[in-house]
Amino acid sequence: MTGVLPRPTISAPAPWVFPAPRSRRLGNGLDVLVYDLPGRELAAVRLVFDAPLAAEGRDGTASLAAGLWTEGTEELDAPAFARRIEAIGASYWASAGHEGPVAGLTAPTARLGEALGLLAASMMRPAYAEKEFARVVREERDAIEERRARAEYRAYLELNAVLFTPESRLSRPLGGTAADLDALDVAAVRAYHERTVAPSAATLVLAGDFRDTDTDALVDAAFGAWTGTAAPTVAREPVAAGPRVLLVDRPGAVQSAIRAGIPSIDRHSPDWASLRVGTYALGGHIGSRLSTVLREEKGYTYGVFAGNHPLRRGGLTTIACAVETGVTGAALADLAEVVRTTVAGGVGPAERDIAADCFLRVGPVAFQTGDALADQVAGYVSEGLPPGFFNQWQDTVRDVTAESASAALAAQLPFDGLSLVVVGDASKTEAAVRDAWPGELLVVRA
């Protein structure tokens, strides 16, 4: 009989460090960030534009333009372009966010040059064909109607409209309304492209195993001839409209979608890490205060979540859940009580430790793929943060105390500043909402 091997010792995990990029700027103004990730043979590419929706001009234009980037170039119509993307084992998508559009590619590192060439062609020589434009508009109109039919999404839309004045682009749907799309044409999309899509307003992010790849040469070959200058962006400070209470009537609804929120700080703020810790304790996980009461103790909902949503300037702190129609008032009363008591009494050291452990130990697990890391960097770029922000963020989280988290929560989430939107059957919930939540209630039809 052989001897028993000694039990291996387990040491504490070492702090994870966000990798540093190789950075440079092309002569045309394009910024390039390259992240070498050994073992990731799928390269992730993100092309991020500094073009906030506040400078969009006509609502819906940015989303349509981004949607058409994947629909061919002057040399390749939509089917031929799709076949080329598929032939090299790549995937290509594009979308427009509040801070600007982003184009994303994933391709085998061995075919990176071809993938970059297709991406560059879609920027320099997009087809913007009438046929594809009409199809994308139809698809987007259908998607708009489908999203508005979902109570949770409708609550999200209405909360933004409540929190910001009509003049703020943040108060209106990101992709515009069906009426907005009907008023657009290919000429409007081309005009948006000409004043927005330029190398001087773009950052190219690459992440993957590039040990045997000359990324500089590939980027130069694909994007070196790109020319043009983007129009200056405009200030994008959202304007708060003040706290309001809104009930969107959906007769016959068996559930009420609840969303409360308030304008808040962004990741540039020195209080950002403290606010994140405080919000996590309030409603960021299944053991949080809101979840303990509304889900575990009362059984009102499958999940209730509080979160922080940063923009380049400012942001939102929100609370969201869905409950059965008959308990709408009770759930709102308990939600209000948990927020009040948490803000008044603060969070404890154990709650601080749980949040910090999640952000410092669990959070880095999300960056194990090139796509995840590239997406994170793209978000930093769009918000005007340095590529190494994650490491700064970890340092600030370590310094957060229960006292600083409590102070940030009290400053950024005063209950009397919260706006509320409920989407549900008004005939069964109106009186309950009035009783449970302070403020003048406005009831509108879905």
Side-chain angles (χ1 to χ4, degrees), residues 79-236:
F81 188 82
R83 287 193 296 269
R84 286 283 297 276
I85 291 288
E86 183 178 357
I88 62 175
S91 62
Y92 180 21
W93 57 266
S95 63
H98 281 295
E99 302 302 335
V102 178
L105 263 176
T106 303
T109 305
R111 310 298 292 270
L112 179 60
E114 296 165 86
L116 290 177
L118 291 169
L119 173 62
S122 70
M123 297 297 132
M124 292 187 279
R125 301 178 301 280
Y128 288 145
E130 292 282 358
K131 177 182 177 181
E132 307 307 336
F133 172 84
R135 176 176 58 78
V136 170
V137 167
R138 289 195 304 270
E139 292 173 351
E140 184 55 29
R141 289 183 91 267
D142 291 342
I144 288 172
E145 296 306 316
E146 187 274 331
R147 289 193 295 265
R148 283 182 62 85
R150 301 201 308 265
E152 291 83 358
Y153 185 79
R154 182 65 184 274
Y156 155 78
L157 288 179
E158 297 295 346
L159 182 64
N160 279 3
V162 162
L163 292 176
F164 304 106
T165 63
E167 293 76 20
S168 170
R169 185 61 180 85
L170 289 165
S171 71
R172 306 190 296 277
L174 190 150
T177 64
D180 292 328
L181 298 186
D182 289 343
L184 296 176
D185 54 21
V186 172
V189 175
R190 287 188 178 278
Y192 169 83
H193 189 102
E194 289 175 2
R195 68 175 182 270
T196 301
V197 181
S200 60
T203 299
L204 182 68
V205 180
L206 295 91
D209 189 337
F210 301 129
R211 288 174 294 182
D212 300 321
T213 304
D214 187 346
T215 55
D216 288 353
L218 296 182
V219 169
D220 289 343
F223 293 96
W226 191 11
T227 60
T229 303
T233 57
V234 300
R236 59 201 88 169

Side-chain angles (χ1 to χ4, degrees), residues 18-77:
F18 203 91
R22 292 185 287 109
S23 61
R24 68 188 183 108
R25 175 173 290 178
L26 273 59
N28 57 13
L30 176 67
D31 286 319
V32 183
L33 301 172
V34 180
Y35 291 83
D36 288 305
L37 305 176
R40 278 74 160 186
E41 296 186 5
L42 281 178
V45 182
R46 301 293 182 268
L47 188 60
V48 187
F49 290 93
D50 181 10
L53 288 191
E56 183 182 27
R58 298 170 64 180
D59 289 7
T61 313
S63 290
L64 282 183
L68 287 164
W69 290 344
T70 65
E71 300 297 332
T73 67
E74 292 178 356
E75 299 85 5
L76 299 170
D77 62 14

Side-chain angles (χ1 to χ4, degrees), residues 311-324:
L311 300 165
R312 177 168 288 199
R313 297 191 181 97
L316 297 177
T317 295
T318 63
I319 301 168
C321 66
V323 302
E324 191 268 328

